[in-house]
Amino acid sequence: MSLSPEILSVAGDDIFQIQTKAPGPAGSLPLTEEMLRNRPSGDLFGLTQNAGMGWDPSEVGRKPFLILSTQGGVRAPDGRPIALGYHTGHWEIGLLVEAASRELKRLGAVPFAGFCSDPCDGRTQGTEGMFDSLPYRNDAAMLFRRLIRSLPVRAGIVGIATCDKGLPAMMMALAGMKQLPSVLVPGGVSLPPEKGEDAGKVQTIGARFSHGRISLQEAAELGCRACASPGGGCQFLGTAATAQVVGEALGISLPHAALAPSGQPVWTDLAVRSARAVVALEQRGLALQDILTSASLRNAMAVHAAFGGSTNLLLHIPAIAHAARLPRPTVDDWIAINRRVPRIDDVLPNGPMDHPTVQVFLAGGVPEVMLHLRSLGVLDTRVLTAAGGTLDEVLQWWETSERRRRFRQILREQDGVDPDEVILSPPRAKERGLTSTMTFPRGNLAPEGSVIKSTAMDPSLVDAAGVYRQEGPARVFVSEKDAIAAIKKGGIQSGDVLVLAGCGPLGTGMEETYQLTSALKHLPLGKHVALVTDARFSGVSTGACIGHVGPEALAGGPIGRLRDGDLIRIVIDRNRLEGSLDFVGEAGRRFSPEEGATILARRSVRADLTPAARLPDDTRLWAALQQAGGGTWGGCVYDVETILEQLEAGRRAVGQ
């Protein structure tokens, strides 16, 4: 082995100019006899640490506020990368941290900042990195809470986050510290390219190239342009954008905060005003527990339905509720909400016109949707918001505000888009064929339930009564890698039911399978292929894609007993929001769902059904703990009391 001179050589004599002592900060700490006698040493040493970082001891009377964010990468002042982040969503967030910090200082507070970067679900699609995606959310929420508790003198929290797991983690963290004043700042969205494809469609270039749909040059150029601006979440209403919408609908963000274009003045202005809001809440003695209530959770579920949001929020909203010690919504609660609340938002990927998220922001975003929902009587407008007033007061302000008028005017004049065609009135939405967001099929393959984003199904597959029906042979895979290979090589035929089993929490950490759903969407045969899995989907997924099948295969679910060629019947009623998912035939013989359940119960589990070979121990532990805490339909949370009870029961059983 040879040693490289470039690694071991000395660059210059300046490295030998070592200083072993320093004069230290000038002045003295403003200590009192009472502080020295009665305050914990940590409070006193904290002042020493502050002085070491350049804090002026004369500011001792100023209240400290903590800014937490998912900032990632190292960005030069001119915006160029020194070190890349994982994704655009956290690339510019440092600018929001800076803007909020400067405003807190101006208000006489002392800002502190902490960071926990987040991964990118798009970057990890189809890779083993996806095994850590959903577990990261729980870990980050715990880390944020530990950071909050580790600054014992904090007077309030500003949480800044953008994307699929970092933003839900931040909301869980704030909910878990609900006795503190807190305001959530969503990190905004990226812009679509003037010519090209959005960040959802561009993830299908591999599948489309494999089928001869695009050239190598087209793939290269489209891939380069898709993220047209350097910051913000994706341009479609996926999990990131939906989480921003939900945060605002919960009342923990300021009005018209979700979906602002990253890096622009309207975006940094939000951080400034959020800093003012958290100080005002603290001065009034208001905390997050005064804002985040069961009523605000129901409001957020209603807004989710009106937007046609990502099915991943079925995991995140219950987790936020659990962190806040509020009742977690059940499948029946979701069904009831989606039956009461129509979808009135025309946004990627749901259509029909597929407006990007920045146009939804300009059309009025969350408060505009809430105006319509208020008229339907599906909101509790008495709830308090981060703005300091009730939701009713916020909506009264919004309806006649200059902000509303001018942004909607920009959309008309700059993009030539009528804002009332982006966020529609309920009668207009019905006339245009917009359908309710989610359906929850049950049956002998999903006795605990499943979910489909029925609003995003191809309308041509639905009959005049609003019903989708498919019967087809199962093509069963136990790894996403094998499934996408079959799609790319032409191994999936029109009419097949592609079954992906063993990819729930116990198998892969409940990986997201967007590369499958996106490939099917953008290939000619795709709309005639249904997908059934115990994994989950990206918020931009569309089509006859049924996920969250419960119980998952590795927890004994019937989906783990299916064989190639088994006849699967799927029925989705988009109007009644009812559905069924059943095994109804084998070897040329048809039978009832009841007989199918009996046959499945007699079958052995597939021999190839095992957890992913390289599933990290960290994720295996997460999967076991969330299973004890209620599993997928409980939000994949750590229910500490239940976990302790089960551990104690196991200890006693082993002892006996």
Side-chain angles (χ1 to χ4, degrees):
M1 178 182 294
S2 60
L3 296 176
S4 169
E6 293 182 356
I7 295 175
L8 300 181
S9 62
V10 175
D13 285 344
D14 58 340
I15 70 166
F16 299 109
Q17 297 172 14
I18 299 293
Q19 182 177 331
T20 59
K21 293 182 176 62
S28 60
L29 296 179
L31 301 177
T32 66
E33 182 176 336
E34 186 277 331
M35 292 170 67
L36 292 171
R37 291 186 184 278
N38 300 317
R39 298 285 288 274
S41 66
D43 285 358
L44 304 177
F45 186 63
L47 297 178
T48 299
Q49 291 285 299
N50 293 350
M53 291 183 283
W55 167 78
D56 185 345
S58 68
E59 297 178 342
V60 70
R62 297 187 175 193
K63 291 183 178 179
F65 284 80
L66 175 60
I67 304 170
L68 292 175
S69 81
T70 55
Q71 178 179 342
V74 181
R75 181 182 178 279
D78 64 0
R80 288 184 294 182
I82 297 171
L84 292 169
Y86 287 79
H87 55 87
T88 63
H90 62 216
W91 177 242
E92 293 185 324
I93 274 182
L95 301 176
L96 293 177
V97 174
E98 182 178 348
S101 299
R102 291 186 183 281
E103 182 63 11
L104 287 171
K105 275 196 167 186
R106 190 190 71 81
L107 294 172
V110 177
F112 284 74
F115 314 92
C116 174
S117 193
D118 54 343
C120 175
D121 280 4
R123 186 181 291 274
T124 59
Q125 289 292 334
T127 75
E128 293 175 358
M130 185 55 73
F131 297 169
D132 288 291
S133 171
L134 187 53
Y136 160 88
R137 182 204 67 175
N138 291 32
D139 295 344
M142 289 194 299
L143 188 150
F144 282 132
R145 287 194 294 267
R146 292 189 189 280
L147 287 174
I148 293 169
R149 291 189 294 264
S150 296
L151 187 66
V153 294
R154 71 279 187 255
I157 314 295
V158 175
I160 305 176
T162 302
C163 282
D164 290 35
K165 301 303 175 301
L167 184 49
M170 185 68 75
M171 289 191 280
M172 290 167 63
L174 298 181
M177 303 299 295
K178 62 181 183 178
Q179 74 279 9
L180 291 169
S182 300
V183 175
L184 178 73
V185 182
V189 298
S190 180
L191 299 182
E194 293 177 354
K195 293 182 180 180
E197 298 178 349
D198 67 86
K201 185 174 182 180
V202 82
Q203 292 182 53
T204 70
I205 53 178
R208 285 184 286 154
F209 175 78
S210 298
H211 282 259
R213 307 292 295 179
I214 57 173
S215 69
L216 177 60
Q217 183 63 30
E218 287 172 323
E221 292 178 357
L222 291 169
C224 187
R225 288 196 299 267
C227 295
S229 58
C234 295
Q235 308 102 333
F236 47 80
L237 196 78
T239 306
T242 305
Q244 293 187 37
V245 164
V246 164
E248 185 177 336
L250 286 169
I252 62 178
S253 294
L254 292 184
H256 202 219
L259 314 181
S262 180
Q264 300 188 37
V266 67
W267 176 79
T268 46
D269 171 71
L270 174 64
V272 172
R273 291 185 294 107
S274 296
R276 293 174 193 161
V278 76
V279 171
L281 290 173
E282 193 276 337
Q283 290 173 344
R284 292 177 57 189
L286 295 173
L288 196 69
Q289 61 193 0
D290 299 304
I291 298 170
L292 185 55
T293 63
S294 291
S296 63
L297 278 165
R298 290 191 295 271
N299 285 348
M301 293 168 69
V303 171
H304 175 278
F307 268 84
S310 165
T311 55
N312 276 319
L313 272 293
L314 292 175
L315 303 171
H316 302 321
I317 288 179
I320 295 165
H322 178 264
R325 300 293 189 266
L326 297 171
R328 286 179 270 179
T330 65
V331 175
D332 289 335
D333 294 329
W334 283 106
I335 292 172
I337 287 284
N338 278 269
R339 282 178 173 165
R340 291 180 63 205
V341 180
R343 178 169 70 93
I344 60 174
D345 208 52
D346 183 348
V347 57
L348 274 169
N350 301 330
M353 298 305 296
D354 289 335
H355 297 286
T357 45
V358 67
Q359 291 186 344
V360 178
F361 175 79
L362 291 172
V366 173
E368 192 71 19
V369 168
M370 284 183 138
L371 281 181
H372 292 296
L373 298 187
R374 182 178 65 171
S375 69
L376 293 176
V378 296
L379 295 178
D380 186 337
T381 60
R382 298 167 296 177
V383 297
L384 190 65
T385 71
T390 66
L391 177 57
D392 196 49
E393 291 171 329
V394 165
L395 295 180
Q396 287 176 13
W397 160 79
W398 173 256
E399 195 164 15
T400 59
S401 68
E402 181 187 13
R403 184 182 181 95
R404 179 190 186 218
R405 179 185 63 80
R406 292 188 63 178
F407 279 127
R408 287 164 63 85
Q409 182 180 352
I410 290 169
L411 182 58
R412 288 190 187 95
E413 295 177 354
Q414 192 163 304
D415 288 6
V417 173
D418 181 352
D420 292 329
E421 290 296 313
V422 180
I423 299 173
L424 295 78
S425 67
R428 179 65 173 147
K430 185 175 182 180
E431 176 187 317
R432 293 291 298 275
L434 275 67
T435 57
S436 294
T437 302
M438 293 187 295
T439 301
F440 299 86
R442 290 188 170 103
N444 62 28
L445 289 176
E448 289 183 357
S450 61
V451 65
I452 180 171
K453 194 174 182 180
S454 47
T455 195
M457 295 173 64
D458 190 317
S460 68
L461 302 177
V462 180
D463 65 22
V467 180
Y468 165 88
R469 292 182 175 86
Q470 179 166 341
E471 280 194 9
R475 289 296 318 281
V476 185
F477 300 89
V478 295
S479 83
E480 188 193 19
K481 179 181 179 181
D482 291 343
I484 192 64
I487 291 174
K488 288 184 175 181
K489 294 175 181 178
I492 301 297
Q493 305 300 318
S494 179
D496 286 348
V497 177
L498 195 162
V499 177
L500 180 62
C503 295
L506 296 172
T508 65
M510 201 177 187
E511 63 186 332
E512 191 175 271
T513 58
Y514 178 59
Q515 67 166 344
L516 299 180
T517 61
S518 60
L520 292 174
K521 176 181 179 180
H522 294 289
L523 295 177
L525 65 84
K527 73 176 184 178
H528 300 293
V529 175
L531 172 59
V532 176
T533 181
D534 51 7
R536 59 192 177 89
F537 302 129
S538 165
V540 74
S541 293
T542 59
C545 304
I546 301 174
H548 298 222
V549 169
E552 63 173 299
L554 285 165
I559 190 176
R561 300 169 187 267
L562 287 174
R563 308 287 187 263
D564 271 7
D566 285 345
L567 187 64
I568 308 299
R569 184 171 71 202
I570 302 170
V571 180
I572 307 294
D573 188 328
R574 296 207 305 184
N575 293 333
R576 297 172 60 86
L577 297 185
E578 296 174 348
S580 58
L581 174 62
D582 292 298
F583 163 57
V584 293
E586 64 175 343
R589 186 174 74 89
R590 292 175 179 266
F591 36 73
S592 69
E594 291 74 21
E595 185 177 354
T598 302
I599 294 171
L600 286 171
R602 289 199 300 259
R603 281 185 180 179
S604 60
V605 175
R606 294 179 61 94
D608 57 355
L609 186 67
T610 60
R614 294 171 63 87
L615 190 68
D617 285 346
D618 299 331
T619 301
R620 291 176 58 210
L621 177 61
W622 166 84
L625 294 175
Q626 67 82 38
Q627 186 80 0
T632 300
W633 292 100
C636 295
V637 300
Y638 300 154
D639 189 327
V640 175
E641 295 304 322
T642 302
I643 292 169
L644 292 176
E645 289 173 6
Q646 293 189 14
L647 286 173
E648 179 60 20
R651 187 190 65 79
R652 288 197 298 266
V654 170
Q656 292 170 358

